[in-house]
Each structure stands twice: as structure tokens, then as C-alpha cells.
Amino acid sequence: MIRTIHIASASWAPMESVASARLLKDSGIAGDRETENITLIEAEVVDTEGFAPGESRRNITVTGIALNPLVGKRFRVGGVLCEGTELCQPCAKLEAHTQRPGLARRLVNQAGIRARVLEEGEIHVGDTIEAAD
């Protein structure tokens, strides 16, 4: 299930929480800085790290589904078809932004995934995430 949706207009702009968003085919979330994909992270990781809402810099925080197995697979975010493309590994930029030394190392293989949007459509907080294959 989608717990939160966040967008930012530029790379270092603050993340803004929204109740719904429009996913654009091959383009990400309308109004977001990411123009080729969406990013998702598991709520359990967010909770373990004690992130404030949006602090992970990922677009969609989900609960109840493991994301890593979705790399290379199609899945639905709400009713919108997406495809997991790669793990979204943490970087020095995230560590600098959060001012949490060692964060990048702790989040290796846990920082979420990137996904390509295959169909355009609306998503909402509370929507489910389901494998499509």
C-alpha cells in the first residue's frame, strides 16, 4: 500500500507531500525532478532509519510489499502499470542531504527501487502495489 507520495521540483528542493499524483508514461511523476522514472522505498526502512516524511528523497513510500524482487518485473502502483528497472542505491548526496554519517553504507540494497512508468494514470495514498506478471 502507498503510505506517502512526495515530489520535489528540483534536485535539492524540499520534498512536498501530496495525496495523489499523476504518473506520466516514460517520464515519472508530473511536477517532480525525476524525469525518467519513479522511486519507491519500503516504509520499514524509513521507520528503521527514523526518516522524517520525504527525507529519504524517494517519491513513494510503500508498506506490505518487498520492493527488491520487483526489479525486472512489472507491477501496478494503484492502477498504473510500472516496471522495476534497478535498485536505487544510496549515494553521498542522500547522506549529505540528511546529514547522517554512514547512512549510504547502512542502506545498501535497502534504499528502494527505480521504476519506469509504462502507462499514464493517477495514484493516491492508500492505493495498493501488486505484481502484474
Side-chain angles (χ1 to χ4, degrees):
M1 177 178 74
I2 296 175
R3 183 154 103 182
T4 63
I5 303 170
H6 286 88
I7 61 172
S9 60
S11 181
W12 284 96
M15 297 294 280
E16 175 188 344
S17 179
V18 295
S20 63
R22 184 135 193 95
L23 299 187
L24 305 173
K25 183 178 178 186
D26 296 324
S27 186
I29 296 179
D32 189 60
R33 76 220 183 271
E34 296 281 344
T35 58
E36 296 179 12
N37 58 58
I38 59 172
T39 56
L40 302 93
I41 191 168
E42 294 170 18
E44 294 77 9
V45 173
V46 169
D47 294 343
T48 297
E49 286 300 325
F51 284 129
E55 190 178 20
S56 71
R57 307 295 294 172
R58 303 301 182 250
N59 298 122
I60 302 169
T61 302
V62 304
T63 187
I65 188 165
L67 294 172
N68 288 8
L70 296 178
V71 172
K73 296 195 165 70
R74 291 180 175 206
F75 59 95
R76 292 199 176 274
V77 178
V80 181
L81 186 63
C82 298
E83 181 176 41
T85 57
E86 64 183 339
L87 295 180
C88 193
Q89 294 294 5
C91 61
K93 189 178 191 181
L94 176 62
E95 195 167 291
H97 178 76
T98 61
Q99 298 181 1
R100 294 174 185 230
L103 179 66
R105 185 177 65 255
R106 286 194 309 277
L107 291 184
V108 169
N109 296 331
Q110 297 183 69
I113 66 171
R114 294 185 190 281
R116 184 169 60 109
V117 179
L118 301 176
E119 298 175 343
E120 191 164 315
E122 287 282 325
I123 62 168
H124 307 273
V125 170
D127 284 353
T128 59
I129 311 293
E130 299 175 341
D133 292 339

